[in-house]
Amino acid sequence: MNEKTKQLLKLIVIFLVYFIYTTVITSILNICGITDEIITVFIADLVFFLGIVILYKNNLKQGFITFVKEFSISKKILFVIKWVAILFAINILGGIITEMIFPSLESDGNTTSIYSLASISTIYTIFKALIFAPIAEELVFKKTIREIINNNALFIVTSSLIYALINIMYTDISVLTIFDMISYFAFSAVLSHVYIKNKDNIVMPMLIKFSYNLIPLIIMLARMGA
């Protein structure tokens, strides 16, 4: 079995686990008498998170070391600010276009998702937005796919399309869904571009996604404390 075949099988297994881990772990916890929905989902996400981090621990370690060595503090800050600003610009532009074409529709963007989740559990929201999404999701949708697709353009399109499809998979199909899919695709494409532009250092898109999610989370927590 050659290396590419091994990587493809690895990707298939990771995505299979990604799709079923919540159902499997929550079912086991329910049998054990733990039935609170938030607790079971939290534990399931934590288990998957730890598993994927352990699997790619060397890549994460090397990526972090490279980021620390190659970037000065000012360069680190400017790097993150630049790409977060680009993501927000894309998100705002998408919202304006959607509003112009379909003024009666409201898009479920990143901020809306965070607020909706926070209404159920603040702690779980912080974990999901600042730890799970930036680290586990980027490993799944970037690192695993990059291991089998070397072509930069094909990688960006494939990883972003998969990310977009999975994010709308459980929503009702509508015109708004298509706009949401385009928004998710653009968001992922930017992070994929950053990933390949920085020599496949997965830490780079992780930091940007963390910072992007951090802003609406801080606003939300400030409003809750007001």
Side-chain angles (χ1 to χ4, degrees):
M1 185 181 295
N2 59 42
E3 188 62 27
K4 279 293 182 183
T5 302
K6 291 180 180 178
Q7 296 295 353
L8 179 59
L9 289 175
K10 179 181 176 182
L11 179 144
I12 292 172
V13 170
I14 288 174
F15 269 86
L16 178 61
V17 173
Y18 183 79
F19 278 113
I20 68 172
Y21 78 87
T22 301
T23 302
V24 172
I25 295 177
T26 53
S27 297
I28 294 172
L29 291 173
N30 288 340
I31 293 173
C32 296
I34 304 174
T35 58
D36 184 277
E37 184 176 356
I38 290 297
I39 293 176
T40 55
V41 174
F42 199 157
I43 293 174
D45 283 349
L46 184 59
V47 170
F48 180 82
F49 171 80
L50 292 174
I52 197 75
V53 166
I54 291 172
L55 183 63
Y56 287 109
K57 64 180 184 299
N58 292 332
N59 300 98
L60 291 169
K61 181 180 179 180
Q62 186 57 50
F64 182 76
I65 291 173
T66 300
F67 180 73
V68 170
K69 286 183 177 180
E70 294 185 0
F71 285 70
S72 63
I73 294 178
S74 60
K75 194 175 180 180
K76 289 183 180 74
I77 295 173
L78 290 175
F79 171 83
V80 172
I81 291 176
K82 169 188 172 182
W83 289 105
V84 169
I86 290 174
L87 288 176
F88 271 110
I90 291 174
N91 187 45
I92 292 170
L93 179 61
I96 292 173
I97 294 174
T98 303
E99 178 67 23
M100 289 173 60
I101 300 175
F102 303 100
S104 62
L105 295 179
E106 294 182 2
S107 179
D108 292 324
N110 182 68
T111 302
T112 303
S113 299
I114 290 177
Y115 273 70
S116 298
L117 189 58
S119 65
I120 302 173
S121 172
T122 302
I123 295 177
Y124 179 58
T125 302
I126 294 172
F127 168 77
K128 194 75 171 180
L130 300 184
I131 299 176
F132 188 90
I135 299 176
E137 288 185 359
E138 290 307 290
L139 287 172
V140 171
F141 295 108
K142 301 287 189 297
K143 182 61 181 173
T144 60
I145 296 174
R146 185 60 166 171
E147 287 178 341
I148 65 169
I149 300 179
N150 295 322
N151 181 275
N152 292 341
L154 182 59
F155 163 71
I156 291 175
V157 172
T158 302
S159 61
S160 301
L161 184 59
I162 292 174
Y163 178 79
L165 288 172
I166 288 180
N167 273 280
I168 67 165
M169 184 176 295
Y170 301 107
T171 60
D172 296 330
I173 301 299
S174 65
V175 175
L176 180 58
T177 303
I178 303 301
F179 276 86
D180 282 341
M181 181 177 174
I182 294 173
S183 177
Y184 283 122
F185 181 91
F187 179 88
S188 181
V190 170
L191 294 181
S192 295
H193 170 73
V194 171
Y195 178 43
I196 61 177
K197 186 178 180 181
N198 289 278
K199 301 177 182 179
D200 292 355
N201 186 344
I202 194 62
V203 170
M204 304 303 203
M206 286 179 178
L207 287 171
I208 296 168
K209 194 170 185 178
F210 170 88
S211 302
Y212 180 81
N213 288 344
L214 179 62
I215 295 173
L217 190 61
I218 290 176
I219 295 172
M220 177 205 71
L221 294 174
R223 288 180 176 177
M224 290 175 62

